[in-house]
Amino acid sequence: MGAGLGEGEGAAVEEATGYEVGIVVPKLSRAAAAGPAEDCVARLVRELEGAGLLVERVRGVPAEFIKLAAPMGTLGRAAAEMQMKKLTYIGMELQFEWDQVAAFVRQPDGSLFSWRERYCCFSYLIYGIVNKTNSEITLKFDGKEFHWKKNESLLTRLESEGVVKLVFPLHDEIKRKQLLRNWALNWLDFTWQPIDEIYSYFGTKIATYFAFLGMYTRWLFFPAVFGLATQLIDFGSLQWLVLPAFFIFVISWAVFFLQFWKRKNSALLARWGINCSLSEYKNMGNELGSLGDSLTTEEKKFGDVSAEKRNLQRNEWFGVLLRIRNNAIIVLAIICLQLPFELAYAHLYEITETEVMRYLLTAIYLVAIQYYTRIGGKVSVNLIKYENNQGEESSSASLVYKVFGLYFMQSYIGLFYHASLYRDILALRKVLIQRLIVSQVLENLIENSIPYLKYSYKKYIAVHKKKHEKESPSGKSVRLSTRVEKEYLKPSYTASIGAELEDGLFDDFLELTLQFGMIMMFACAFPLIFCFAALNNATEIRADALKLLVMLRRPVPRAAATIGAWLNIFQFLVVMAICTNCLLLVCLYDAEGNWRIEPGLAAILIMEHALLLIKFGFSHFVPEEPAWVKANRVRYVAQAQNVCSKQLLKSISKLDAKLD
């Protein structure tokens, strides 16, 4: 067995991490483990220890596990070899140097590296174990023999041979229980969250999602109170002004919310020491890569440059045409397949008499349409592979827009149909209530029950298989005794449409945008809908926290400094809300709930244009960065210029001395 983290040994290692990464290999019988078939895994363990990692082997029920920890010195040397860029105290991101560690900014919890940076170092170390000899090395496992080629990664080879089943991050039990107590199970404040602790444990992307969800939920209380007041207070002769005033308030609220979110996002990035967004890094990398490809030599002729320019333009427009083609496929699928399905549901809903049957019909419809839309999402994943997208972020944005288009039609086409066909505000309210309640209950039920059912099934299969093994003592109960094997059997945090481009946050953000669209586009039809949304989101925060901490494996950290394309979708939904609510106000309704066209069409159109001006005008009134973030950036730039000028003067002085 490799070196473990005992009490004395853990104290001897300065700032050693806990076990943070696990490697899963098949479990062999005791007799096989004693023979030559163990050489393969034993060689992997020796190489991992040789790379400076702390290794512990655990024999579990479903498989054998190799747990990895690392002293801070090992991670620091790996970061230096990777040429990792880190923020310094003068505001510049410089290449990390282990012997200059005091110059680099620490994390909010005091650690040197963030969780994403540590996981990148672990990946570099374990996948960086290569055959440095001049010949192939023969390895064996379970009677199977294969060759480890020169300069080949050992872990990659073992993965291709099926020896390594999985490499995954492990939960830190102490920090996990602290987050459970202080976050997931803390109901004293519905929206408070330890965002810095979430960032330290899960990384930037998940912390940004929960920061957005918490702020969105807090801001929902303002329109929720106003909407409740419109239903409880009789405004008398001014009642006809209530809905237009509520509409103007809601649009202004949404614009200010998105602007203040940008401010909060920039403040969080500054607090976490993230100096540049991922998109900026990707763009810089693409520009440098294209520049390096296009200018490989300094002796290119003008004709060659012109030809390359034409090639780049041709590829650019070819990519645009591919995206247009793929979007057309999605639109045709909606028209030919989804629209008839929606119309059939609307017809069945109309002829159904009892409310209980309508709720049941809505539930069946939502479950069926969920699977249909997931198929469309998987098709979208395959379509974007043929687009000339610049990097993973561009592909992810393209996927977000396509899948949201499918879900947008699925969620709202039935509501538009009821609104336009029946012109009955009371019927529209009933449909809104049914959609909101049934969809939220179903989504929370599916979201939280499926991971538990998957885990229970895998656990049953593993225990059942163990009971029927020859070496298992008869009559002895079999159970999972270690944390690592329980984590291995849990589902991973992936998107329902596939894990190729997105993690599980894809589904969570999609759920938020669909809810935001529903409450915004039909605000005038049912002002109380904001109360439902606020209560749902308050429970959603704790449910998502429990899902990540209890029911799923620890997610692989992803580098994303903003919510990306989802922000564009929120802004699009604000514009859609202006249009749809103006149409609802044009068709005012009487005391019986029947709509009628009023002569105030011109006033409504004026209001629509005024709100569009408010939407785009207020966006510039609220700065996207707090003043202290700007001040810090200016100070950092001044410090960087001062350091660079001093270094330059020293270099000039040394050069002068040599010339003399």
Side-chain angles (χ1 to χ4, degrees), residues 415 427-437 518 522 525-526 529:
L415 298 174
L428 180 59
R429 284 182 179 178
K430 288 182 180 179
V431 174
L432 281 170
I433 294 173
Q434 291 170 354
R435 284 289 187 95
L436 190 65
I437 293 177
M518 182 174 293
F522 300 95
F526 187 42
I529 198 171

Side-chain angles (χ1 to χ4, degrees), residues 487-522:
E487 290 187 30
Y488 167 64
L489 294 178
K490 291 179 181 179
S492 58
Y493 188 47
T494 56
S496 58
I497 60 174
E500 290 88 349
L501 291 172
E502 286 290 338
D503 56 355
L505 286 179
F506 186 94
D507 292 339
D508 293 327
F509 269 118
L510 182 62
E511 182 181 348
L512 279 184
T513 54
L514 293 176
Q515 181 202 81
F516 184 81
M518 182 174 293
I519 65 177
M520 289 296 297
M521 289 195 294
F522 300 95

Side-chain angles (χ1 to χ4, degrees), residues 67-216:
K67 296 163 58 178
L68 302 177
M72 196 55 62
T74 300
L75 295 180
R77 288 187 290 272
E81 292 176 8
M82 294 168 60
Q83 300 181 353
M84 180 184 292
K85 295 292 184 68
K86 282 186 66 65
L87 187 67
T88 60
Y89 283 103
I90 63 171
M92 294 179 64
E93 286 191 335
L94 300 176
Q95 184 176 319
F96 181 78
E97 296 290 343
W98 177 241
D99 55 352
Q100 302 292 332
V101 67
F104 295 93
V105 175
R106 293 260 172 175
Q107 298 298 308
D109 61 352
S111 60
L112 178 60
F113 297 108
S114 67
W115 165 228
R116 187 186 68 84
E117 290 170 339
R118 293 200 308 275
Y119 191 77
C120 288
C121 290
F122 272 105
S123 298
Y124 174 80
L125 290 168
I126 62 180
Y127 283 97
I129 298 173
V130 298
N131 181 5
K132 297 180 180 179
T133 64
N134 294 324
S135 60
E136 295 182 350
I137 298 176
T138 302
L139 300 173
K140 294 181 180 180
F141 184 80
D142 198 18
K144 182 180 179 181
E145 185 176 297
F146 53 91
H147 299 285
W148 182 20
K149 299 178 182 179
K150 181 182 176 182
N151 296 325
E152 183 183 24
S153 170
L154 176 59
L155 199 68
T156 302
R157 183 63 178 173
L158 295 181
E159 285 178 334
S160 64
E161 295 293 338
V163 177
V164 171
K165 294 182 177 180
L166 182 67
V167 178
F168 66 103
L170 298 175
H171 276 290
D172 184 316
E173 277 303 289
I174 296 176
K175 294 180 180 178
R176 188 183 73 90
K177 289 179 179 179
Q178 287 177 349
L179 285 173
L180 267 176
R181 183 172 56 254
N182 300 331
W183 177 36
L185 301 178
N186 181 16
W187 289 90
L188 296 179
D189 188 338
F190 286 155
T191 61
W192 179 85
Q193 300 177 91
I195 295 298
D196 288 340
E197 287 80 358
I198 298 170
Y199 161 74
S200 299
Y201 192 73
F202 287 114
T204 311
K205 191 170 186 179
I206 290 179
T208 303
Y209 163 74
F210 279 103
F212 180 84
L213 177 58
M215 181 176 175
Y216 173 45

Side-chain angles (χ1 to χ4, degrees), residues 261-486:
W261 161 249
K262 294 176 184 178
R263 287 174 58 87
K264 183 178 180 63
N265 194 18
S266 63
L268 288 174
L269 297 181
R271 196 165 75 212
W272 296 338
I274 300 173
N275 196 33
C276 187
S277 71
L278 181 67
S279 60
E280 291 170 339
Y281 280 128
K282 300 260 183 176
N283 292 336
M284 288 189 293
N286 292 331
E287 290 171 4
L288 291 174
S290 61
L291 183 62
D293 294 338
S294 60
L295 299 177
T296 53
T297 64
E298 297 180 1
E299 300 176 355
K300 285 194 171 184
K301 298 180 181 179
F302 179 76
D304 295 335
V305 175
S306 300
E308 183 154 2
K309 180 180 178 181
R310 288 194 297 270
N311 289 334
L312 290 174
Q313 288 178 337
R314 183 168 61 250
N315 291 335
E316 178 187 8
W317 286 107
F318 182 67
V320 171
L321 292 175
L322 284 176
R323 285 189 287 274
I324 292 174
R325 182 204 65 179
N326 294 343
N327 293 335
I329 292 175
I330 298 297
V331 171
L332 288 175
I334 292 172
I335 295 174
C336 299
L337 299 176
Q338 192 167 356
L339 187 58
F341 187 81
E342 296 284 349
L343 295 178
Y345 160 73
H347 176 69
L348 290 174
Y349 186 90
E350 178 189 356
I351 62 177
T352 303
E353 297 181 355
T354 62
E355 290 297 320
V356 175
M357 290 302 297
R358 286 184 172 180
Y359 272 98
L360 181 61
L361 177 64
T362 303
I364 296 173
Y365 156 77
L366 289 175
V367 171
I369 205 67
Q370 281 283 335
Y371 284 98
Y372 166 77
T373 316
R374 286 183 183 181
I375 295 173
K378 293 181 183 295
V379 172
S380 300
V381 171
N382 292 323
L383 285 175
I384 62 174
K385 293 179 181 178
Y386 301 100
E387 297 178 359
N388 291 340
N389 292 307
Q390 298 297 321
E392 182 179 342
E393 186 181 10
S394 178
S395 299
S396 299
S398 179
L399 178 65
V400 166
Y401 296 139
K402 288 179 175 60
V403 175
F404 176 77
L406 289 170
Y407 276 86
F408 180 87
M409 296 300 294
Q410 172 254 311
S411 300
Y412 308 129
I413 194 172
L415 298 174
F416 292 144
Y417 178 81
H418 278 87
S420 61
L421 182 64
Y422 299 106
R423 295 198 169 203
D424 188 346
I425 194 69
L426 299 179
L428 180 59
R429 284 182 179 178
K430 288 182 180 179
V431 174
L432 281 170
I433 294 173
Q434 291 170 354
R435 284 289 187 95
L436 190 65
I437 293 177
V438 175
S439 64
Q440 296 298 333
V441 170
L442 277 178
E443 285 172 1
N444 287 325
L445 184 64
I446 293 173
E447 186 178 348
N448 296 302
S449 63
I450 287 183
Y452 176 76
L453 293 175
K454 286 182 177 179
Y455 169 73
S456 300
Y457 175 74
K458 288 182 179 179
K459 180 181 177 182
Y460 170 78
I461 293 297
V463 172
H464 183 74
K465 184 178 179 181
K466 177 68 177 178
K467 287 181 179 179
H468 289 78
E469 288 181 356
K470 293 182 179 179
E471 64 177 38
S472 179
S474 58
K476 186 177 180 181
S477 62
V478 178
R479 62 187 181 88
L480 304 180
S481 58
T482 61
R483 170 60 57 180
V484 63
E485 56 186 328
K486 294 178 182 178

